[in-house]
Amino acid sequence: MSKHTFRIWRGDSSSGEFVTYRTEVDEGMVVLDVLHRIQSEQAGDMALRWNCKAGKCGSCGMEVNGKPRLACMTRMNTYSDQEVITVQPMRTFPVIKDLVCDVSWNYEQNKKINPFRPSSAQSDGRYIMSQEDVDRVQEFRKCIECYLCQDVCHVLRDHKRQDVFVGPRFMIRAAGLEMHPLDTEDRIGMIRDELGSGYCNITRCCTDVCPENITITDNGIIPLKERVADRYYDPVIWLTTKISSAIKTTLKN
Amino acid sequence: MSIDINEIETFDHDVVVIGAGGAGLRAAIECSAQSLNTGMICKSLLGKAHTVMAEGGAAASLGHTDDRDNWKVHFRDTMRGGKFLNQWRMAELHARHAADRVRELEEWGAVFDRTADGYINQRPFGGHRYPRLAHTGDRTGLEMIRTLQDHGIHQGIHIHQECTALKLLKDDARISGVFGYWRETGRFVLFRTKAVIMSTGGAGKCWRVTSNSWEYTGDGMEMAYMAGAELIDMEFAQFHPTGMIWPLSVRGILVTEGVRGEGGVLQNSDGDRFMFNYTPERFKEETADSPEEAQKWLDGDTSARRPPELLTRDVVAKAILNEVEEGRGSEHGGAYLDIASRRDPDYIKRKLPSMYHQFKELAEVDITKERMEVGPTLHYMMGGIAVDGETQMTSVPGLFACGECTGGMHGANRLGGNSLSDLLVFGWLSGLGAKEYISQLTRPLSIDSDDVELARHAAVAPLNREGGENPYVLHEELQSIMNDVNIVRTGAGLQRAIDAIEELKPKLDNIYAVGSSQYNPGWNQALSMRPMMIVAEAVARSALIREESRGAHTRLDFEGEREEWGNINIVVRNAEDGSMEVEQFTRDVPPEHLAEIAYSNLDDLEGGIHV
Ligand SMILES: Cc1cc2nc3c(=O)[nH]c(=O)nc-3n(C[C@H](O)[C@H](O)[C@H](O)COP(=O)(O)OP(=O)(O)OC[C@H]3O[C@@H](n4cnc5c(N)ncnc54)[C@H](O)[C@@H]3O)c2cc1C
Ligand code: SF4
Ligand code: SF4
Ligand code: FES
């Protein structure tokens, strides 16, 4: 057991400030445990989001010592007793209260993406896909929607281009659909125009913070950018790749 | 101060689904498909419900890994796992429809792990005769909720997030509305509706060591109970045998049964694989009796029987408890779970990635090299709102229920994987049930403004007091009381718990929350205390009455299953005077064709005969 000092941002959309708390920390605790202890002992009305406490639901994203993190997966023993730990809400989104911010914009972006449209099933109603082909998509589908990547992406954070770019989370959501072996929808135009793929300049900051270790930029965004480039700058290449993949699928079935 | 209800923000829907987990989402999708104006409300953000945490998989007799499987074997396993207390019709509907509902998810974009020939792969789990769980690594719930969510947002459902329902409103006997508040602002909100589908999940937060999150405070059960519905089988609360136990701060967090499904074994402090000593008579014929045979099963020999680690959860949880009590527990008072010596590191990381991650990050244990330490954790409520098996409607006209908040489907013990499939099947059916009910309504419904005023008054009371009971402390007191309503119980302990809950009630009327109503967790906690107390009381009272040990309910003073109880379900309801009325009722005689399947031997079912 040891005592630690926390500086926690308390306030709402109109104003706020960092408030200092001293509290005991037991072996094995994560930042979320400490926040709960402070909440139950010193600050009953301190707002924060959490659900699973095991890195599975993506509710507890915040900035700890300036880094976007899941509070439930940030162990206290990575900090020394002397270190003051600063906790604040994700800064890319408008704050609601204390550590809770308004992430509703993200839900709006999701709706922009054309939904999954499967090819027809076999006559017995079943679909065939090989594990090898789904591995790629499964990587993107691991996303827990913590929005830490959205928080860190400079297009949204610094340039505030929420009006034109959906951010890395929804780029990989689109990638997951585009690379889905059964999907037949064409989203290339949408990816360029509505999702704003051109705004990403491949800094890889999003990949660095993803708690699910999804290779957002290299496996998701870059291939999408390539598809867009192929379509708009070399329609012949695009057509042949589509046709040959269509033939491949037909042969496989 | 009284207010005009016209001043409260109001929404009009044909149906309101309370809860946005797998059950609520599937119900809302069905309602929308039935052209109902559908509203869905949830306490957290969309996609964060408990369903997201489910790991192991969804049980359905797809027959992809063993073609001897079919709905009848699944039904038989479910009834046997539930110690024959399940509602027959619900268990039948579930087993019959689970496969189609899982396949439908694939049509909506779900990506399950594949077999070598490209079909949905299935994993073995406790109590299931064949590998039956469609899964995506060990994050099946995430795959499921995201699929439903991404499909659902294009179906015209009105989604109200971070909105907590507090009370159901009625026009005479019928449901006519829902009263609640927005978490963000603390403002109240009214929903006028013709029907409500309750899908609020469980109540694990009544106990201290649990795999459940803050959301699981039994709200739906309490709202239904207060509206006049019955709660059934409340004595059956499932303790999952393998929760994390160390460090203390993660105590209770789930370790999926998938670890054992993939070959993991349980050991005591002597390194013995103790589960071989705990196979109940009823399962002896179908369970391996030596490590050699269990190994053959793992290697894919279909003539070998399943390892005892895959016995039902009640059996495994009690076995661990017994080892600990007899002095053979692990360092921190549980058992060791070993997958490291059973599978190679790459396999473990591929099939159990989130377990690998969870132990590495939270306990600094590398499960590809070291053993895990595990112990029982409160996991799931078999008991819940009683519904008609055919329509999913409660005894309150217009009130439906599905998912974990419902009782009856799983009897005395739920099989792993049967919840995710239950959500899909009964979510779907309750949507159909609501449609049918609404289409027969003949007159417009109204909301009684006095009811609204009462609910509003009760809700703001904790904020208006000058001081009083701290909701966090009260919660801890309740959890301490529930130590007497744990995995093993005695009559004296249960009576003690009931008395203590009675003593706690006056404190509830003096609960106090600091701050304003805006995003105030203290206030939210204060409001969830009553639901938890109702559920806790229902569990304790039902458990006191059931004088036998069956499934998840173990009485030290009444050991073993008693024949006279095999035929009885216990229900509780809110009596006229506000007290809790407990009633035993005798089960209907099972339909002949179902009894035949449930009691048949396996050979008769495995020919692939379809009824
Ligand atoms: C860690 C873990 C692992 C599991 N693994 C498996 C598995 O592998 N296989 C399996 O079959 N089962 C598993 N289970 C069980 C299964 O996940 C749950 O039983 C199931 O997800 C419950 O789904 P639901 O739709 O009924 O409720 P939930 O998914 O819990 O959703 C409840 C919803 O109700 C809302 N709600 C609650 N109260 C209110 C209120 N007052 N007002 C408004 N909204 C409210 C919540 O916000 C939430 O949206 C697991 C459970 C846990 C905890
Ligand atoms: S790689 Fe692209 S999406 Fe990711 S942070 Fe950089 S600019 Fe944003
Ligand atoms: S991609 Fe990673 S960082 Fe972004 S929302 Fe998903 S899990 Fe979070
Ligand atoms: S609480 Fe679920 S990810 Fe942290």
Side-chain angles (χ1 to χ4, degrees):
Chain A
M1 214 156 53
S2 56
K3 271 223 167 199
H4 279 259
T5 305
F6 272 71
R7 284 175 71 237
I8 303 176
W9 195 88
R10 303 291 315 266
D12 56 25
S13 57
S14 55
S15 67
E17 58 180 355
F18 284 97
V19 177
T20 302
Y21 300 91
R22 291 268 300 160
T23 190
E24 297 285 352
V25 173
D26 306 332
E27 185 188 344
M29 274 190 163
V30 292
V31 168
L32 183 64
D33 294 321
V34 182
L35 295 175
H36 278 147
R37 178 165 283 180
I38 293 171
Q39 196 181 51
S40 71
E41 291 171 1
Q42 306 178 45
D45 62 344
M46 183 170 79
L48 56 96
R49 285 197 182 101
W50 70 283
N51 282 64
C52 69
K53 223 171 118 23
K56 294 190 170 71
C57 72
S59 303
C60 65
M62 52 187 75
E63 297 184 12
V64 184
N65 283 354
K67 294 205 179 66
R69 315 239 8 166
L70 296 179
C72 72
M73 297 302 272
T74 304
R75 287 175 65 88
M76 284 302 299
N77 66 5
T78 53
Y79 306 100
S80 79
D81 316 1
Q82 271 72 44
E83 204 170 342
V84 176
I85 300 168
T86 304
V87 188
Q88 60 189 318
M90 290 190 281
R91 280 188 290 164
T92 298
F93 307 108
V95 70
I96 293 175
K97 189 182 163 208
D98 306 332
L99 301 173
V100 172
C101 47
D102 179 357
V103 292
S104 57
W105 173 80
N106 292 287
Y107 288 89
E108 295 307 315
Q109 305 318 301
N110 198 18
K111 282 193 208 146
K112 289 184 183 166
I113 302 173
N114 294 348
F116 179 64
R117 188 146 57 92
S119 53
S120 43
Q122 295 186 144
S123 56
D124 63 2
R126 298 191 292 180
Y127 288 100
I128 292 190
M129 295 186 263
S130 73
Q131 185 61 45
E132 215 177 23
D133 289 343
V134 302
D135 276 345
R136 216 161 50 144
V137 189
Q138 284 184 332
E139 179 185 8
F140 306 130
R141 297 183 65 87
K142 282 194 311 194
C143 170
I144 56 173
E145 298 202 325
C146 63
Y147 306 130
L148 292 178
C149 57
Q150 307 285 79
D151 184 42
V152 85
C153 173
H154 67 108
V155 182
L156 306 174
R157 189 182 179 103
D158 303 325
H159 306 291
K160 308 255 174 280
R161 294 314 307 268
Q162 274 81 345
D163 55 334
V164 289
F165 183 47
V166 294
R169 156 56 190 138
F170 297 102
M171 291 301 287
I172 60 148
R173 160 123 166 81
L177 287 165
E178 278 296 291
M179 298 177 199
H180 193 304
L182 301 179
D183 185 61
T184 60
E185 177 76 12
D186 176 0
R187 295 182 192 77
I188 299 300
M190 184 202 79
I191 286 169
R192 184 185 73 161
D193 302 332
E194 272 126 273
L195 309 194
S197 58
Y199 285 88
C200 161
N201 58 351
I202 322 190
T203 57
R204 297 193 175 81
C205 312
C206 51
T207 307
D208 289 343
V209 299
C210 176
E212 286 292 308
N213 298 317
I214 301 170
T215 320
I216 303 174
T217 324
D218 289 40
N219 290 355
I221 300 180
I222 293 176
L224 286 188
K225 281 172 157 290
E226 281 168 0
R227 288 182 189 202
V228 169
D230 287 351
R231 162 83 59 94
Y232 290 102
Y233 307 115
D234 194 346
V236 181
I237 291 182
W238 173 78
L239 210 61
T240 37
T241 37
K242 267 281 174 191
I243 292 172
S244 66
S245 74
I247 293 174
K248 256 189 258 160
T249 348
T250 327
L251 288 180
K252 238 189 265 165
N253 295 343
Chain B
M1 182 192 75
S2 148
I3 48 152
D4 183 353
I5 72 165
N6 294 320
E7 283 171 14
I8 301 181
E9 184 183 13
T10 303
F11 295 89
D12 282 285
H13 295 300
D14 291 329
V15 58
V16 170
V17 179
I18 307 181
L25 277 161
R26 186 62 190 83
I29 288 170
E30 197 55 36
C31 290
S32 206
Q34 298 295 325
S35 314
L36 297 176
N37 170 331
T38 307
M40 182 169 65
I41 67 184
C42 50
K43 285 207 278 194
S44 287
L45 294 172
L46 187 61
K48 311 297 183 195
H50 248 78
T51 301
V52 79
M53 296 170 222
E55 295 160 359
S61 57
L62 298 160
H64 292 170
T65 34
D66 196 319
D67 61 13
R68 288 174 296 179
D69 202 10
N70 58 53
W71 79 264
K72 293 182 187 174
V73 188
H74 191 183
F75 170 76
R76 178 181 180 272
D77 290 345
T78 301
M79 291 301 297
R80 285 159 57 94
K83 319 296 172 206
F84 293 92
L85 275 195
N86 326 51
Q87 298 304 306
W88 291 88
R89 180 63 173 150
M90 291 178 89
E92 178 193 10
L93 285 168
H94 168 256
R96 272 184 192 267
H97 294 290
D100 281 347
R101 297 281 76 80
V102 168
R103 276 191 215 108
E104 174 179 73
L105 287 183
E106 199 163 50
E107 235 160 80
W108 294 346
V111 183
F112 294 109
D113 287 356
R114 318 308 295 180
T115 60
D117 47 7
Y119 294 112
I120 297 173
N121 198 357
Q122 294 179 277
R123 144 185 296 160
F125 239 53
H128 292 284
R129 172 78 182 158
Y130 299 113
R132 194 175 277 148
L133 272 66
H135 62 277
T136 304
D138 55 1
R139 52 165 193 83
T140 314
L142 171 65
E143 187 63 30
M144 208 169 107
I145 202 166
R146 206 62 86 227
T147 301
L148 291 167
Q149 175 186 346
D150 289 339
H151 181 73
I153 55 170
H154 296 288
Q155 311 305 310
I157 301 163
H158 303 271
I159 299 165
H160 310 284
Q161 307 185 57
E162 295 200 313
C163 176
T164 302
L166 289 172
K167 188 178 179 177
L168 298 175
L169 304 165
K170 295 200 294 187
D171 178 343
D172 278 342
R174 289 180 191 279
I175 289 294
S176 62
V178 180
F179 175 77
Y181 70 95
W182 300 109
R183 203 172 182 75
E184 180 177 339
T185 57
R187 292 219 181 86
F188 294 110
V189 54
L190 262 183
F191 299 90
R192 294 178 190 278
T193 185
K194 299 168 186 157
V196 164
I197 298 178
M198 201 57 90
S199 51
T200 49
K205 275 290 154 187
C206 298
W207 287 265
R208 184 160 292 137
V209 179
T210 174
S211 64
N212 292 178
S213 85
W214 66 269
E215 288 203 297
Y216 265 20
T217 51
D219 302 7
M221 298 179 194
E222 183 255 3
M223 281 184 272
Y225 170 88
M226 296 306 286
E230 291 170 340
L231 305 180
I232 186 170
D233 293 343
M234 291 301 283
E235 67 274 35
F236 299 112
Q238 179 168 75
F239 289 81
H240 194 291
T242 61
M244 292 177 83
I245 57 173
W246 191 257
L248 269 186
S249 58
V250 298
R251 188 159 210 153
I253 292 180
L254 195 74
V255 180
T256 175
E257 191 167 322
V259 176
R260 283 170 285 140
E262 297 295 347
V265 298
L266 288 164
Q267 295 161 346
N268 60 22
S269 56
D270 302 334
D272 287 339
R273 197 170 160 184
F274 58 84
M275 279 310 300
F276 285 105
N277 309 329
Y278 292 92
T279 309
E281 212 46 55
R282 183 185 277 159
F283 291 97
K284 281 214 159 116
E285 211 179 299
E286 296 166 19
T287 309
D289 56 14
S290 68
E292 292 71 36
E293 185 180 2
Q295 185 59 44
K296 275 202 218 150
W297 176 88
L298 190 63
D299 296 339
D301 179 343
T302 51
S303 71
R305 296 171 296 179
R306 286 175 315 147
E309 279 83 6
L310 292 179
L311 284 161
T312 53
R313 289 179 175 174
D314 50 326
V315 176
V316 183
K318 276 181 267 179
I320 295 176
L321 209 64
N322 198 53
E323 288 296 307
V324 175
E325 252 159 39
E326 293 183 1
R328 295 183 297 274
S330 66
E331 190 185 343
H332 298 100
Y336 294 106
L337 175 60
D338 175 30
I339 183 90
S341 70
R342 314 274 300 156
R343 296 281 193 183
D344 67 66
D346 282 345
Y347 184 89
I348 297 172
K349 284 188 208 164
R350 187 156 46 82
K351 286 308 236 181
L352 302 163
S354 73
M355 283 304 107
Y356 173 72
H357 196 60
Q358 180 174 315
F359 272 90
K360 190 125 198 154
E361 301 288 326
L362 296 176
E364 292 176 337
V365 167
D366 179 349
I367 68 167
T368 67
K369 298 201 180 81
E370 301 158 78
R371 299 183 295 181
M372 295 162 249
E373 259 195 278
V374 294
T377 178
L378 189 283
H379 183 57
Y380 183 88
M381 294 295 294
M382 269 73 71
I385 305 165
V387 294
D388 171 68
E390 215 63 52
T391 61
Q392 316 317 314
M393 192 159 86
T394 65
S395 57
V396 178
L399 177 60
F400 296 77
C402 57
E404 188 173 340
C405 66
T406 315
M409 157 68 206
H410 303 284
N413 174 59
R414 172 179 73 94
L415 297 185
N418 267 3
S419 172
L420 291 187
S421 43
D422 157 343
L423 310 183
L424 297 172
V425 171
F426 293 103
W428 166 62
L429 287 172
S430 59
L432 295 177
K435 168 70 180 182
E436 176 67 20
Y437 167 81
I438 290 169
S439 64
Q440 291 182 6
L441 278 179
T442 50
R443 63 173 178 89
L445 299 163
S446 65
I447 285 177
D448 181 344
S449 54
D450 289 347
D451 281 353
V452 177
E453 177 49 27
L454 276 175
R456 193 196 65 87
H457 187 77
V460 294
L463 290 168
N464 289 344
R465 296 198 173 96
E466 298 288 312
E469 303 291 336
N470 176 334
Y472 298 103
V473 173
L474 219 57
H475 187 202
E476 286 193 8
E477 281 180 36
L478 179 67
Q479 291 180 330
S480 300
I481 293 172
M482 293 306 276
N483 286 340
D484 273 326
V485 196
N486 231 307
I487 190 161
V488 289
R489 305 158 174 182
T490 63
L494 292 167
Q495 189 57 56
R496 193 160 52 229
I498 294 168
D499 295 343
I501 290 169
E502 289 299 337
E503 275 170 38
L504 208 60
K505 283 181 183 170
K507 290 194 182 174
L508 191 60
D509 295 330
N510 190 31
I511 202 163
Y512 165 66
V514 281
S516 73
S517 64
Q518 188 203 8
Y519 221 112
N520 182 345
W523 182 50
N524 307 149
Q525 175 75 28
L527 295 179
S528 59
M529 278 312 299
R530 189 174 65 167
M532 279 191 278
M533 302 236 320
I534 296 276
V535 170
E537 182 179 349
V539 175
R541 288 194 187 276
S542 305
L544 181 62
I545 296 229
R546 184 171 288 279
E547 296 188 328
E548 66 159 351
S549 297
R550 181 183 296 267
H553 170 69
T554 302
R555 285 283 296 265
L556 291 178
D557 45 352
F558 292 95
E559 281 177 11
E561 287 178 19
R562 310 278 165 114
E563 213 185 314
E564 64 275 22
W565 280 101
N567 203 5
I568 285 174
N569 289 105
I570 297 173
V571 298
V572 303
R573 69 176 75 81
N574 191 11
E576 291 276 321
D577 63 359
S579 67
M580 189 176 281
E581 194 171 276
V582 191
E583 193 189 328
Q584 311 172 20
F585 78 89
T586 309
R587 293 162 60 78
D588 292 339
V589 182
E592 213 168 294
H593 70 288
L594 293 183
E596 201 176 303
I597 302 170
Y599 297 111
S600 66
N601 71 34
L602 280 166
D603 294 341
D604 297 339
L605 299 180
E606 288 168 354
I609 349 143
H610 293 280
V611 174

